[in-house]
Amino acid sequence: MAFVLKTFGRLQLVDEDGNPVPFPEKGLLLLAYLLTTDQGSADRTTLVSFLWGDADKDDTFATLRKLISRMKARQIELGINILSSQGNIVTLDRASLSSDILLFGTEEAVEPFSQLKHLVTLMNQPFLGPVHSHSRQFQRWLAERDICHIELLGNTLRTASRLAQSQMEFELLRKAAVILFRTEPKDPATLQMLIQIFQAEEEVASLRNHFEQRRNFILRGIAARTRSDDDDAKSLRPTSAPSKPKLGAALPLEPQDIRIAIPRLVLLPPKNQSVRPQAGLLAASLVEDITIGFCALNSLEVIAPYSAVQIGHHLETQKTFFERHRVNYILDTRISNTGDEVTLFAQLIFFDQNQIVWAERFSLDHMDLVKDRRVVARRIALSVSSEIERHEALREDLNPIAYHRYLVGRRHLARLTLPNLRRARKEMKAALSVSPDFAPALSSTARTYSKEWLLTARGDIELLQTAETLAKHATETRPDFADGYREFGVAKLLQGAFDESAEAMEVAESLAPHYADVIADYADTLVHCSLPAMALRKIERAIELNPLCPDTYFWTAAGANYALGEFEASLDYIGQMADPNLADRLSAANWAMLGRQDKARVFVRRFREGNPDFDVDKWLSAVPSKEQWHKDLYREGLKKAGF
């Protein structure tokens, strides 16, 4: 009888008729792991670490022996022989066990649409279902599996998209694209690939609507909360992801409210004033590509190209159209000759005041226009989007004195030292004395208190309560202000309220999906939630967006690597900090875990010079970590270092 190991949905062993076969759960997890190893085998030490983490080695080795004995006995009952052991090595006979587990390289041997259909069926279910383990090795393996699944889906989707012809095949592409969006909703490479795959206006609009849905749900939740008269609603509880039931109960937001919240842009068809025929042929596709580039951004709404072309040909009705459809910005483009050079001139017009807020000329002469027009289109889309966001911010009714003091204070926050934090706080308080409801100053002041709590390591709860109050005030003043939710999430995290912190960070990132500082603090939250692999992916994305980043980014990356047992990588990130002394505790723990007591003691001595009363257990009781193994790992490193 043939048996199949199912890993998507529920982890289980099934017979040839699809009926579940009783088998130890840890044994099934062991089989799944062995399927992903190079030779289908692993030593007992590796398996113990994978299944039980850093628990007592003697106990776990005995437990593994019992587990393998139970698995062999069950094999005899079932009449199969899939697992064997010889000395210290445990081996899986891959030829005797089928599985749905996804492995690198397997997609090449299968017809693309069959493979894509298979992947869509599997990845609509959770990998391993409810099975979980707190071991770092399991978490790392699980993260590797996620990357494998995403890569297989992305590669297969890319291949199949070039071959699709029938309606059924296009429908399959759409289903796969939705899964990829859910998995990597904000990854630029994923967005670029999907935009290239779905060239047609209707397809791009469909994908963009799916991408925008999360932000619109959150806006509805914010509107419902701010309109509620209930006292409990006034105490901030940030809205979580839209799939959660409590968000579904939020009051609906009127359509015009969403339009007001997001600026609207129309891109008029370009005027072709060039004498070169190639430039004339390029014009129509260029404007379409620029519009598609805007569709990948969620900071503004874009009038569909069809409507834009229609209104572009009727100058007498443009003003009425813009007013009726609440258009805020118009991008006017023209291709022309400047001397012997072909150029694209673009200007952004703020319609409400008929004001030109941005203009730039792009040279198109030194490139293959057909090949590189999408690169130009993307540059224009990003430039215009950034300019609209900047212009929207400048239009706010700000007190110039408050804004100046705020900018001075922000400069001090670039480098995290206690003197700098207090200088920043002084400037922020000066800004608030002039403009008490200035949300950016409120959230930045909150940040000074939460960062002081971290740097002093004294566990002063009043610092965090002050930070929470200020952040809450910022969100009440500006419900669409990402920084307010971010600082609220930080304050809640450091008080051990993991769920509230994660919810606030979800709102913050959804309101500002390309804001590196928000992504970095979300990563820090994930570290404290004992999800270091996810945290590392987030912080690497933040560093990519902000390559000249502050020390806190590298500190977070170092903490995530430490939790994953990557001590040398952790030290590498600390070494990139402008002031690595800030992470002396973590440096000491890393060196101790690497067995370098001499190195560890150097950092212990240096840290104690500024913090002579530091106590490991008292500090760990104050620093939040959701899982006990995470605290235990930090305690082990600090104790080994000599704290």
Side-chain angles (χ1 to χ4, degrees), residues 217-226 232-242 244-247 250 468 471-476 478-479 481-493 497-511 522:
F217 273 140
I218 288 169
L219 286 174
R220 292 189 187 100
I222 292 169
R225 185 168 58 248
T226 55
D232 291 337
K234 292 179 182 177
S235 61
L236 176 69
R237 173 78 175 185
T239 312
S240 61
K244 296 189 178 180
K246 62 183 177 181
L247 192 54
E468 179 184 341
K472 179 180 172 183
H473 186 182
T475 58
E476 289 170 344
R478 283 275 305 275
F481 184 50
D483 267 330
Y485 293 100
R486 172 176 68 145
E487 296 308 331
F488 181 85
V490 170
K492 279 295 186 184
L493 172 70
F498 298 102
D499 292 339
E500 286 184 87
S501 175
E503 288 170 1
M505 290 300 184
E506 172 73 14
V507 176
E509 188 184 28
S510 295
L511 290 173
Y522 199 171

Side-chain angles (χ1 to χ4, degrees), residues 356-411:
I356 297 175
V357 297
W358 171 87
E360 188 170 342
R361 187 177 296 277
F362 298 85
S363 173
L364 302 179
D365 202 49
H366 303 294
M367 59 180 69
D368 182 341
L369 296 181
V370 176
K371 177 183 176 182
D372 293 331
R373 59 186 169 86
R374 288 179 188 163
V375 177
V376 177
R378 183 65 177 168
R379 281 175 55 202
I380 295 171
L382 291 173
S383 298
V384 172
S385 180
S386 299
E387 188 57 34
I388 288 175
E389 291 179 350
R390 186 194 69 81
H391 189 249
E392 288 289 297
L394 291 177
R395 286 173 57 211
E396 295 178 357
D397 185 19
L398 296 179
N399 181 296
I401 297 175
Y403 191 58
H404 173 72
R405 299 303 291 266
Y406 162 75
L407 292 177
V408 173
R410 288 293 299 180
R411 284 201 294 270

Side-chain angles (χ1 to χ4, degrees), residues 330-376:
I330 303 161
L331 186 65
D332 183 44
T333 58
R334 68 195 66 173
I335 297 177
S336 61
N337 290 89
T338 304
D340 294 329
E341 186 180 34
V342 179
T343 62
L344 176 73
F345 177 77
Q347 61 179 356
L348 182 66
I349 302 167
F350 179 46
F351 174 71
D352 295 356
Q353 298 176 8
N354 195 28
Q355 173 191 4
I356 297 175
V357 297
W358 171 87
E360 188 170 342
R361 187 177 296 277
F362 298 85
S363 173
L364 302 179
D365 202 49
H366 303 294
M367 59 180 69
D368 182 341
L369 296 181
V370 176
K371 177 183 176 182
D372 293 331
R373 59 186 169 86
R374 288 179 188 163
V375 177
V376 177

Side-chain angles (χ1 to χ4, degrees), residues 244-523:
K244 296 189 178 180
K246 62 183 177 181
L247 192 54
L251 297 175
L253 190 68
E254 294 299 322
Q256 61 265 28
D257 291 334
I258 294 179
R259 285 198 293 266
I260 291 169
I262 305 174
R264 304 197 85 193
L265 168 74
V266 63
L267 177 60
L268 297 178
K271 303 175 183 68
N272 179 23
Q273 300 172 338
S274 172
V275 297
R276 298 191 186 181
Q278 186 184 26
L281 294 173
L282 180 69
S285 55
L286 181 62
V287 65
E288 190 171 288
D289 282 352
I290 295 173
T291 307
I292 289 172
F294 282 126
C295 288
L297 307 171
N298 63 354
S299 57
L300 52 90
E301 286 188 344
V302 185
I303 301 295
Y306 179 83
S307 297
V309 169
Q310 297 304 308
I311 194 60
H313 294 316
H314 298 87
L315 300 179
E316 66 280 3
T317 59
Q318 282 185 358
K319 187 173 186 294
T320 303
F321 177 90
F322 297 153
E323 290 173 344
R324 180 187 304 126
H325 294 282
R326 296 183 176 85
V327 171
N328 307 109
Y329 295 91
I330 303 161
L331 186 65
D332 183 44
T333 58
R334 68 195 66 173
I335 297 177
S336 61
N337 290 89
T338 304
D340 294 329
E341 186 180 34
V342 179
T343 62
L344 176 73
F345 177 77
Q347 61 179 356
L348 182 66
I349 302 167
F350 179 46
F351 174 71
D352 295 356
Q353 298 176 8
N354 195 28
Q355 173 191 4
I356 297 175
V357 297
W358 171 87
E360 188 170 342
R361 187 177 296 277
F362 298 85
S363 173
L364 302 179
D365 202 49
H366 303 294
M367 59 180 69
D368 182 341
L369 296 181
V370 176
K371 177 183 176 182
D372 293 331
R373 59 186 169 86
R374 288 179 188 163
V375 177
V376 177
R378 183 65 177 168
R379 281 175 55 202
I380 295 171
L382 291 173
S383 298
V384 172
S385 180
S386 299
E387 188 57 34
I388 288 175
E389 291 179 350
R390 186 194 69 81
H391 189 249
E392 288 289 297
L394 291 177
R395 286 173 57 211
E396 295 178 357
D397 185 19
L398 296 179
N399 181 296
I401 297 175
Y403 191 58
H404 173 72
R405 299 303 291 266
Y406 162 75
L407 292 177
V408 173
R410 288 293 299 180
R411 284 201 294 270
H412 293 306
L413 284 176
R415 187 178 179 193
L416 285 181
T417 64
L418 283 176
N420 273 4
L421 286 177
R422 285 158 185 167
R423 291 185 191 107
R425 188 180 303 154
K426 179 181 176 182
E427 296 296 335
M428 296 303 171
K429 286 183 175 180
L432 292 171
S433 68
V434 178
S435 183
D437 293 329
F438 184 24
L442 286 166
S443 65
S444 294
T445 310
R447 191 168 190 79
T448 68
Y449 285 103
S450 59
K451 293 303 181 185
E452 180 175 340
W453 184 90
L454 282 171
L455 288 182
T456 56
R458 291 194 294 264
D460 185 352
I461 192 63
E462 290 185 5
L463 291 172
L464 298 181
Q465 290 171 343
T466 302
E468 179 184 341
T469 300
L470 288 162
K472 179 180 172 183
H473 186 182
T475 58
E476 289 170 344
T477 303
R478 283 275 305 275
D480 61 344
F481 184 50
D483 267 330
Y485 293 100
R486 172 176 68 145
E487 296 308 331
F488 181 85
V490 170
K492 279 295 186 184
L493 172 70
L494 297 178
Q495 295 177 74
F498 298 102
D499 292 339
E500 286 184 87
S501 175
E503 288 170 1
M505 290 300 184
E506 172 73 14
V507 176
E509 188 184 28
S510 295
L511 290 173
H514 306 297
Y515 188 177
D517 287 349
V518 166
I519 297 172
D521 276 341
Y522 199 171

Side-chain angles (χ1 to χ4, degrees), residues 1 24 54 90 108 148 188 195-196 227 239 274 276 319 349 364 446 449 453 489 519 522 543-544 559 563 576 585:
M1 179 178 289
D54 297 328
V90 179
E108 295 177 2
C148 169
I195 290 167
Q196 290 173 352
R227 287 194 292 221
T239 312
S274 172
R276 298 191 186 181
K319 187 173 186 294
I349 302 167
L364 302 179
Y449 285 103
W453 184 90
I519 297 172
Y522 199 171
I543 293 172
E544 179 186 347
Q576 295 179 59
R585 277 193 311 265

Side-chain angles (χ1 to χ4, degrees), residues 22 67 85 118-119 172 238 242 281 285 337 340 368 475 479 533 537 630 637:
L67 174 63
S85 59
H118 177 63
L119 292 175
L172 182 59
L281 294 173
S285 55
N337 290 89
D340 294 329
D368 182 341
T475 58
R537 291 200 296 272
H630 198 175

